[in-house]
Amino acid sequence: TGLQIREQRQRTMAPQVQIFFGSQTGTAECFSEEISDEAKEQGIECEVLDLMTFKPDTFAARKIVLLVVSTYGEGEPTDNAVQFHKWVSDPRNDGALKGQRFSVMGLGDMNYSKFNNMGMMTDQSLERMGATRIYRRGVGDDSQDIHADFQEWKNGGLWDALKKAIAEVMEETGGAGFGVQTGGATQIVAAPKVAKKPELHVFFGHEEADGAAKDICESVVASLKEQGMVVPIVQNLTDRKSVEVVRKLPRKAVAVVIADCNQEGLCGPGRKLVRNMNLELDSGSMSEKSLSLAFLAVASSKCSNSASALRDQMEKSAQAIPKAFERAGIMPLSQKLPRYLDAGVDSVEPVLKEFAAGLVSHVSAATEASDTATGGAPAAAAVVENAKKTKILCAGSEAREVADALASTWPGGNASVDDAALAVLSSAAQERAQVVLAVECAADGGLGDAGRGLAAQLGAAPMAIRASLRQVRFAMLAVAGTHYGNAGERASANAMLDELTRAAAPVKQALQKFGAGCVADASVDLQEADGGKLSELCSTLLKGFSDGAAPPVASAVNGYPAAATPAAPAATPSESTVSTKLELKMAGSAGALPAEVPGEPADVLARFYFDADQAKVAKVRELRQAPDLAQGLATAEVEFEAVGGLKDYTLGGTFSLLPENDPADVSAAVRLMGLSETNLGQYITFVPGDGGGKIKRPFPTPCTLKDALSRYCDLGRAPTKKMLTALQSKLDNQEAREHVSKLLADAEAMKVLQGAALCCKMHEFWSMLGVKKISPVDFLLNCPRQKAREFTIASSPKATPQRITLCVSLTSHELPNMEAACKQLIDAGCLPSSASSLLGGRGRFFGTCSRWLTGRIKSGDMVLAKQRPSPLHLPAKDVPIIMVGAGAGVAPFRGFWEELRRGSQSAPAALFFGCRNADQDWLFKEEMSSAVKLTAGCGALARMQVGPKRPLACLFTAFSRPGEGKQSKYVQDDVRAQATSVKHWIDKMSGCVFICGSTAMGNGVLEALAETLEGGRETVDALRKEGRIVAEMWG
C-alpha cells in the first residue's frame, strides 16, 4: 500500500541534515547531539559529524548542514576545525557550495576581543562560497549563559527553517534528494578506483663552483621518464619556495633529493632547505601523507686519494637533509638505493642506473599494492603478507652497520633497515611488522648516546603513539664494537656479551611499559659479526618471533600499564565496522587482558587523552605567605618537565592539563559500581560486543580502574542529559527510572540540576535518586569525560627551556544550601521525597583541578598536558609594556620579566600587581621586587649594575585588604593614579597593555583605560582589535 511504501522509504532514508561541530572542550559537540535528539522528535533525520573528519568533496555534496562552531583563543578555530577553516577561507573555493543550505551557531566568550569570530567567519564564508542561509546565525556567550543563548537560537525558528529546506530539496530532486541508507550507514556508490602511480618529485641542490648535482639530476629524470615514471616537478633548491613545494607534495609521493656536498659540508642550497624545513615544518607534520624520501649525495673529488679520505666526512654532513625530512615525517624508502656518488672519481652510469631502478621498483610495487587493495579479497592477503615483514631499527652508527649486514642475511630478503625513531616504530606497529631493535652499547656495559636518546623519546611519547606501540612485537639486539686486538681480549669481551643485554634494558622496559611484547634478547660484537654469526643471529631472532612473546610483566610503572604480550592480530571480516556495543574486560594485569583492537577516540575530549604528552612534575611549592587550605586560601607554583610537544612552549602560552578527581569521589564511584577499593588496581579495556572490528575509545586502554575514574571520568558534577538518557532503561529501580524520565522531559529541572546553586557531584545525585548500583561498563562509557583545564604559562622559554611553570590559586567558596533547589526537583517529580534527608552539612566547594594542584600533586607525578601559543606575548618592537595582573593573574608577567631580563629592551616596562594583603598573599614577592630597577636614592646607585638585570622600570602594588588602618586599593585605582604616564606610554610611544586576571578586575582596568585615553571606550576597543591591548580574563 501507499502507507507501507512511505514507511519503507522512511526506514531507508539517509540523514536529511548533517550537523558538524568544531569543539575544543565538548560544548559544541553536546549542543550538536542535542539538536540531533530533538530533530528526531520533529521527524527530521540528522547525523552528527566531527569537523576532524572534514573532506571538501564530501562536505560540498551535503544538501543541508548545520554548523556549531566554537572560537578558540583569539578568534582561532578549534583543533578539529583547522582544515575546514582553511578550506572555507580560501577564495579559490568560491562557488564550491552552490546549492547547499546552511545555518551556523557560533560559541565564544565576550571577554575576548575577537568574540565569536569562528561563527561569524564560517557564516560569511559559506555564503561567499554559494551556499544559502536558511536561518539566522546564533551567538552563544560563555561569559554569560551560553546554554540559554543556544536554547533561544534552537527554539526560535530552527525547526521550521529545516522543514522548509527539506521540502525544497525533495521538490528539487524529485523526492530522492538525500540518498539511500542501508544497514545503518549511508550507501555511497563510487566509480571503480584505478591505481595511481606514486609521483616522483625531484629536487636538486647545485654548488655553482664545481658541483655535479644538476647534471646528475637531469640524467636521473631522463632515465625515469624513459621508463614511464611520473615526474611532475624538478625543483632547484636555490628557490626560496622549495619548502612550500615540499609542503604541498601529494599523498604517497616520493621526494627525490640530489645535492652536492664537499669537504666543507653540504652545498648552500641544501643547507638552506634544511634550515627552512626545520623552521617552517612542525615535527611529524607531513607523516599523514605517507611520503617517502630518496636521497643521493653527490661529491666531485679531484683525485681518488682525497675522495677516499673525505668520504665519511662528506656523507655525514649530507645526512642533514634526510634528518630534516624524517623530522617532518617523511621517511627514507625501504628499497636499498645508492646514497652517495662521487662524480669526480666514480663510474657514474652504473650508480645512476641502480638509483633509477630502485625508484622504478618502488613505484611498481606501490602501484601493484594499490591494485591489490582495490580488488577486495586480495587486500586481505596483502595484509597477511605485510605482517611477515621485518623492520630492523637501529640506534647508533655501529648498530646501523650490524643492521645492514643482518638485513642482507635475513631469510627471504624481507627485512628493511631504518633509524629507531618514534614515527618509525609507530608505523611498524600499524603495519604489524616484526621489529628488531639494534641498540648500540659500550663494551663496558653502558647504553650509547643514540640508545639513551631513544629511551628518552619513548618516555615522552604522546598517548596516541603509546597506545599504538602496544601492538609491537620486538626483539632486542645489543650491539658493541669492542675493537679488541688479541684473542685473549676478544675472549674476555665475548664473555661479557650477555651483560650487554642489560645495557639495552632502558629501551626494552620503555616499550614494555606500553604493553609491547619482547620476543627475544640477543647481543653481538661488531668485530665478530661474520657470516656464520649473522646467520646464527637470524635464526635466534626468527625463532623468537615464531615462538611468541615473552611472559608479561605483572606490575605497572609510574601509573602506566604493565608490559603485556599483544596477541597476533586476527583477521576479521568486519575490520572497518565500528562497534556500537562495547564490553568491559578486567584483569589483575595488563598482560591478562585481550589484545587491543583498532579504534579511535570517541569524542573531542577523549582525543586530548590520546594526543597529550606525559610530563613529570619537577617541583611544587606554596607561594602565599599565610596559606589556609581548609579556607580555600592556597596558591601553588608547579613546575613540569618540558618534554615531547611541550619542549617548544612559548612565552605567555596556554598550558592544558588533565586534572585528577578527589580520592573520596573515586571511592564513592567505585562503590556505586558495586566494586570495592581493591578493584582499583585492576586493569581494564574494552572489546567489541557485536562483532565490529573497530571501537570508539572513551579513553586510552589498557589502564587501571583507578586511572579511569581518577583521570578520565568527571566525578565532580551531576550526570549529563546524555548519561541519563543512556542509563534510564538500565536502572534496576523502577521509581528511579520514572524520576529520570521526568527530569529528561523538564528542561528547567535539568538546568537546576546542572546549575551552580546545587553544586551536585556524581555520587551525590545517584544517592539522592536512590540508585545503589550501576554496572561498571555502563558507568565508564557514559560518565561525562573529564575536561582539560587551561592555565597561562608563568615561565620564560629563554630562562627555563626545560621547565614549564604554572601559578595556580585554589578555587573555593562556601557551598550553597541545597534545600531550595532540591525541593524544586522533588516538586517536579525529578527526585524522590527522601532526597531532602540526605542534604546535611556540605562545607566548602573546591575546584577539582585547583584542589589537586594546590594540595595533592607532588614531585615525580606524571600528568597529561599540551601547550599552545596565546595572544599574551611580548611585542616585536621595543615599545613600553604595561602589565596589569591580580593574584594568580601575574603568572604570564613573571615569564615576561624573565624574558625581558635576557633581552635588549630599553623602553619602560611597568607592572601593576594586586592581591589581598602584602604579608599574606603577595605572590613571587622576592622575585618581583628584585626585578624592579634601583631608582631610589642617588642616581649613581641607580646606574650601577648590581646582580642580574632588573627589567621593570616601575612596580605599582594594590592591596584590597591591607589591614587595619590602611586604605583598600585595586589595580585599576593605580592605573588611574598613573594616568599621565600610562597615556604617554600608549599614545606617544605606541606601548602595549596586557591584562590578566578575573573578569571583574579586567573590566575595571579596561574602564580605567577608557577614562585615561582620548576617545574613551572606542579607543580601547580599537586598540584591542589592533592587539595593543590584550586581556585574558576568567571567572
Side-chain angles (χ1 to χ4, degrees):
T1 66
L3 176 61
Q4 290 173 324
I5 292 173
R6 283 195 298 274
E7 288 177 344
Q8 177 65 23
R9 184 178 187 123
Q10 289 172 354
R11 284 196 299 270
T12 59
M13 285 298 292
Q16 300 160 313
V17 180
Q18 277 75 32
I19 308 167
F20 291 87
F21 64 85
S23 184
Q24 196 72 26
T25 62
T27 304
E29 184 176 9
C30 289
F31 285 171
S32 299
E33 291 172 349
E34 186 171 331
I35 294 172
S36 179
D37 292 341
E38 293 191 26
K40 291 177 183 177
E41 299 172 6
Q42 297 284 339
I44 301 172
E45 288 296 321
C46 290
E47 180 181 20
V48 177
L49 298 168
D50 188 339
L51 277 174
M52 180 65 78
T53 65
F54 164 77
K55 293 181 180 178
D57 293 345
T58 306
F59 182 83
R62 307 296 190 184
K63 303 294 184 182
I64 305 173
V65 298
L66 298 179
L67 292 108
V68 185
V69 290
S70 296
T71 299
Y72 192 41
E74 283 295 310
E76 303 155 13
T78 55
D79 290 347
N80 69 326
V82 171
Q83 294 305 317
F84 167 77
H85 179 61
K86 285 182 179 178
W87 185 71
V88 298
S89 301
D90 191 338
R92 292 176 296 180
N93 297 321
D94 286 1
L97 300 180
K98 188 175 182 180
Q100 187 178 89
R101 292 161 171 83
F102 78 95
S103 182
V104 175
M105 176 69 201
L107 310 178
D109 187 322
M110 186 69 82
N111 289 319
Y112 290 85
S113 59
K114 294 186 179 179
F115 168 62
N116 230 295
N117 187 61
M118 267 300 291
M120 180 179 64
M121 293 294 292
T122 300
D123 185 72
Q124 293 174 353
S125 296
L126 266 60
E127 185 176 43
R128 190 198 74 244
M129 296 174 73
T132 301
R133 186 184 300 102
I134 61 170
Y135 185 54
R136 63 179 171 85
R137 173 170 62 92
V139 178
D141 181 9
D142 199 30
S143 70
Q144 300 297 321
D145 191 340
I146 197 169
H147 292 83
D149 295 335
F150 170 66
Q151 295 297 331
E152 188 275 331
W153 173 79
K154 176 169 60 70
N155 299 325
L158 175 64
W159 308 123
D160 290 341
L162 287 175
K163 290 173 182 177
K164 180 182 177 183
I166 291 169
E168 290 172 353
V169 172
M170 295 295 285
E171 183 177 352
E172 291 171 4
T173 60
F178 299 102
V180 179
Q181 191 171 19
T182 58
T186 304
Q187 185 179 19
I188 300 174
V189 181
K193 292 185 178 180
V194 179
K196 183 180 178 181
K197 290 182 178 180
E199 297 178 2
L200 301 171
H201 292 240
V202 181
F203 302 78
F204 68 91
H206 183 65
E207 192 68 68
E208 292 297 335
D210 55 0
K214 185 176 180 181
D215 294 335
I216 297 296
C217 174
E218 291 174 353
S219 299
V220 170
V221 171
S223 176
L224 292 172
K225 288 184 175 180
E226 286 176 5
Q227 299 179 69
M229 296 296 102
V230 181
V231 187
I233 287 178
V234 178
Q235 176 73 36
N236 190 336
L237 294 183
T238 57
D239 190 336
R240 61 186 181 87
K241 296 181 180 179
S242 296
V243 174
E244 192 60 28
V245 176
V246 173
R247 194 197 309 273
K248 293 180 179 179
L249 287 172
R251 282 182 57 80
K252 299 187 177 181
V254 179
V256 181
V257 183
I258 301 171
D260 281 320
C261 62
N262 54 42
Q263 62 186 26
E264 296 178 358
L266 196 58
C267 64
R271 292 195 303 273
K272 180 180 178 182
L273 174 68
V274 171
R275 182 181 66 251
N276 291 341
M277 284 186 68
N278 289 335
L279 285 173
E280 299 181 30
L281 297 182
D282 291 337
S283 179
S285 59
M286 307 290 289
S287 57
E288 293 184 358
K289 287 189 174 185
S290 302
L291 302 171
S292 303
L293 170 71
F295 175 64
L296 180 63
V298 179
S300 301
S301 300
K302 303 301 183 184
C303 68
S304 57
N305 289 335
S306 62
S308 177
L310 295 173
R311 172 166 180 163
D312 286 347
Q313 177 183 337
M314 290 191 284
E315 273 196 281
K316 186 175 181 180
S317 64
Q319 288 307 302
I321 287 181
K323 287 180 179 178
F325 274 81
E326 183 172 344
R327 176 186 170 277
I330 305 174
M331 299 301 166
L333 285 178
S334 57
Q335 273 83 357
K336 289 186 178 180
L337 301 179
R339 293 184 289 183
Y340 181 83
L341 167 65
D342 194 326
V345 297
D346 292 342
S347 179
V348 173
E349 187 175 346
V351 177
L352 295 189
K353 184 176 180 180
E354 183 183 355
F355 187 74
L359 292 172
V360 172
S361 174
H362 167 77
V363 170
S364 300
T367 306
E368 183 179 347
S370 180
D371 279 328
T372 304
T374 56
V383 172
V384 173
E385 178 63 26
N386 194 40
K388 298 177 183 176
K389 291 182 179 178
T390 301
K391 289 195 172 185
I392 307 174
L393 308 183
C394 41
S397 57
E398 291 179 340
R400 165 71 76 165
E401 288 187 51
V402 169
D404 288 336
L406 195 62
S408 64
T409 312
W410 201 264
N414 200 19
S416 60
V417 177
D418 210 332
D419 289 333
L422 283 181
V424 182
L425 273 166
S426 181
S427 174
Q430 293 172 9
E431 295 173 16
R432 301 291 196 268
Q434 300 172 159
V435 175
V436 176
L437 268 176
V439 180
E440 184 176 315
C441 304
D444 61 1
L447 193 59
D449 290 342
R452 287 196 299 271
L454 176 60
Q457 285 185 49
L458 290 168
M463 186 59 71
I465 290 184
R466 292 169 182 267
S468 70
L469 293 182
R470 186 173 188 249
Q471 307 296 332
V472 171
R473 298 172 70 239
F474 70 99
M476 282 301 305
L477 177 59
V479 179
T482 59
H483 306 295
Y484 289 144
N486 61 56
E489 290 175 329
R490 286 199 301 273
S492 176
N494 289 335
M496 292 293 292
L497 277 178
D498 289 341
E499 298 298 320
L500 285 181
T501 57
R502 296 183 183 179
V507 175
K508 175 182 174 180
Q509 290 168 359
L511 277 168
Q512 287 182 320
K513 212 160 48 170
F514 309 148
C518 182
V519 301
D521 287 290
S523 56
V524 63
D525 184 348
L526 184 61
Q527 191 172 349
E528 298 292 315
D530 56 18
K533 181 65 176 179
L534 290 173
S535 296
E536 181 184 338
L537 193 56
C538 284
S539 300
T540 301
L541 298 176
L542 283 169
K543 186 176 187 302
F545 286 119
S546 63
D547 289 349
V553 179
S555 61
V557 182
N558 289 334
Y560 296 114
T565 303
T572 64
S574 54
E575 286 185 347
S576 61
T577 305
V578 177
S579 176
T580 57
K581 181 181 179 182
L582 299 184
E583 294 180 359
L584 177 70
K585 300 294 183 182
M586 299 181 67
S589 69
L593 291 172
E596 295 292 294
V597 297
E600 58 187 30
D603 51 37
V604 169
L605 294 179
R607 190 174 296 128
F608 178 92
Y609 311 152
F610 289 89
D611 294 345
D613 289 289
Q614 288 277 358
K616 181 184 288 187
V617 179
K619 185 178 79 173
V620 182
R621 70 165 174 139
E622 174 60 53
L623 290 174
R624 291 179 182 245
Q625 289 79 17
D628 188 343
L629 197 61
Q631 292 301 311
L633 302 176
T635 303
E637 176 190 19
V638 188
E639 283 189 6
F640 303 90
E641 293 183 358
V643 296
L646 306 177
K647 285 192 295 187
D648 300 323
Y649 82 92
T650 57
L651 182 69
T654 299
F655 190 80
S656 300
L657 180 67
L658 188 70
E660 290 191 7
N661 287 306
D662 189 314
D665 295 336
V666 173
S667 297
V670 80
R671 290 194 298 271
L672 179 61
M673 292 189 293
L675 302 173
S676 69
E677 297 206 20
T678 58
N679 296 113
L680 289 174
Q682 288 191 288
Y683 285 85
I684 63 171
T685 192
F686 296 98
V687 297
D690 54 5
K694 294 182 179 179
I695 64 173
K696 294 277 190 178
R697 298 185 185 280
F699 46 79
T701 55
C703 69
T704 63
L705 180 60
K706 180 180 179 180
D707 279 344
L709 293 173
S710 298
R711 292 184 174 186
Y712 307 126
C713 295
D714 190 349
L715 305 179
R717 58 170 298 171
T720 59
K721 184 177 181 181
K722 183 177 180 180
M723 183 180 190
L724 292 171
T725 302
L727 296 186
Q728 180 189 2
S729 62
K730 300 179 179 182
L731 298 176
D732 294 336
N733 188 325
Q734 174 62 31
E735 184 182 359
R737 289 199 297 270
E738 293 173 0
H739 289 310
V740 171
S741 178
K742 291 179 180 179
L743 182 57
L744 290 171
D746 190 334
E748 189 60 32
M750 280 297 300
K751 189 174 181 179
V752 171
L753 176 65
Q754 303 289 342
L758 203 59
C759 280
C760 183
K761 291 189 173 184
M762 183 65 62
H763 68 90
E764 290 176 336
F765 170 80
W766 293 112
S767 177
M768 287 191 295
L769 196 64
V771 173
K772 304 296 183 183
K773 182 180 178 181
I774 299 174
S775 74
V777 65
D778 288 332
F779 187 89
L780 291 171
L781 287 177
N782 295 294
C783 185
R785 300 273 72 83
Q786 186 73 273
K787 294 181 181 180
R789 310 303 203 267
E790 294 189 339
F791 299 90
T792 304
I793 293 173
S795 53
S796 158
K798 284 186 178 179
T800 57
Q802 304 302 322
R803 298 285 178 90
I804 293 177
T805 301
L806 299 186
C807 172
V808 183
S809 282
L810 177 57
T811 301
S812 177
H813 58 75
E814 288 289 341
L815 279 168
N817 192 302
M818 291 178 64
E819 287 187 15
C822 192
K823 184 177 184 303
Q824 185 177 348
L825 292 174
I826 291 172
D827 291 345
C830 301
L831 285 178
S833 57
S834 59
S836 59
S837 64
L838 302 174
L839 297 179
R842 305 187 69 206
R844 296 190 67 86
F845 166 84
F846 294 101
T848 298
C849 188
S850 62
R851 180 67 180 83
W852 170 57
L853 290 173
T854 57
R856 297 196 309 274
I857 200 169
K858 60 186 182 300
S859 298
D861 286 353
M862 301 296 292
V863 301
L864 281 174
K866 295 174 73 174
Q867 64 85 23
R868 64 175 176 85
S870 83
L872 285 169
H873 52 78
L874 290 172
K877 297 180 179 179
D878 188 359
V879 297
I881 298 163
I882 303 167
M883 299 165 276
V884 189
V890 76
F893 308 137
R894 189 235 190 186
F896 277 24
W897 77 59
E898 288 299 333
E899 194 92 352
L900 291 170
R901 195 192 297 276
R902 289 157 178 79
S904 56
Q905 173 94 1
S906 60
L911 174 62
F912 293 80
F913 171 71
C915 63
R916 291 185 176 189
N917 188 286
D919 299 322
Q920 295 178 6
D921 56 357
W922 186 340
L923 310 181
F924 300 112
K925 184 175 183 178
E926 293 183 4
E927 290 183 42
M928 194 182 296
S929 300
S930 65
V932 183
K933 294 184 186 299
L934 297 170
T935 56
C938 66
L941 179 63
R943 290 189 294 272
M944 288 177 63
Q945 294 295 322
V946 180
K949 178 181 176 182
R950 293 171 175 259
L952 299 181
C954 41
L955 169 65
F956 303 101
T957 55
F959 307 109
S960 60
R961 301 180 188 179
E964 189 175 346
K966 297 180 182 178
Q967 186 178 357
S968 177
K969 191 168 57 169
Y970 297 89
V971 285
Q972 51 265 45
D973 298 327
D974 272 343
V975 171
R976 290 186 179 93
Q978 302 299 324
T980 302
S981 296
V982 170
K983 187 174 186 299
H984 178 76
W985 289 333
I986 296 175
D987 288 347
K988 304 300 183 183
M989 300 179 69
S990 301
C992 295
V993 182
F994 299 92
I995 305 166
C996 189
S998 70
T999 300
M1001 181 278 295
N1003 287 334
V1005 173
L1006 291 173
E1007 188 60 37
L1009 289 172
E1011 295 171 14
T1012 300
L1013 302 175
E1014 291 183 13
R1017 192 73 196 197
E1018 188 175 329
T1019 298
V1020 169
D1021 291 341
L1023 289 172
R1024 291 189 74 182
K1025 288 182 180 178
E1026 191 181 332
R1028 286 180 55 201
I1029 295 180
V1030 179
E1032 187 160 296
M1033 302 179 283
W1034 60 84

